[in-house]
Amino acid sequence: MPFRNLPTDAAAPLSSLVEVRPGQVSSRSLTRIGDALAGTLLAFDEGESVSEETYAGDTLYYLVEGEADVNGVWMAAGDVLMVPAGTLHAVEPVCACKVLQLTLF
């Protein structure tokens, strides 16, 4: 099954699938299809971030909750941004937030 960690018997809000935890970045893998696609739901506590990264594929960021700066672009809940393959970038939350990250390799 290419998708995992998703509800199958009842619909649920995407934001409910990962929790913001004090002093942490939490994640929930939603899919990994070989070298083709990776999907992860991330939750950042206020003041937490991830280091700059480069992905071999184009990466879509969808801000589920909160506000964040992704590669110098301010995002609010409901916004989407694509970072091209090979671009060094980071997710810097402005406050506690949840982000869906999809990378196509």
Side-chain angles (χ1 to χ4, degrees):
M1 182 180 291
F3 287 104
R4 58 181 177 246
N5 300 319
L6 290 166
T8 57
D9 55 348
L14 184 61
S15 64
S16 73
L17 301 181
V18 68
E19 293 180 27
V20 173
R21 295 188 174 131
Q24 294 183 17
V25 176
S26 5
S27 66
R28 181 178 199 144
S29 177
L30 302 179
T31 189
R32 178 69 190 210
I33 304 173
D35 292 334
L37 172 69
T40 306
L41 187 58
L42 302 155
F44 296 83
D45 190 21
E46 187 171 354
E48 298 299 319
S49 63
V50 292
S51 59
E52 289 187 315
E53 299 176 295
T54 301
Y55 294 107
D58 292 340
T59 301
L60 175 142
Y61 290 96
Y62 173 74
L63 203 66
V64 178
E65 283 183 1
E67 299 175 7
D69 179 301
V70 178
N71 217 34
V73 177
W74 180 83
M75 297 178 68
D79 288 346
V80 65
L81 177 72
M82 192 275 294
V83 176
T87 302
L88 187 63
H89 66 283
V91 176
E92 299 281 341
V94 174
C95 57
C97 70
K98 297 179 181 181
V99 178
L100 175 63
Q101 176 184 319
L102 298 172
T103 302
L104 290 171
F105 298 99

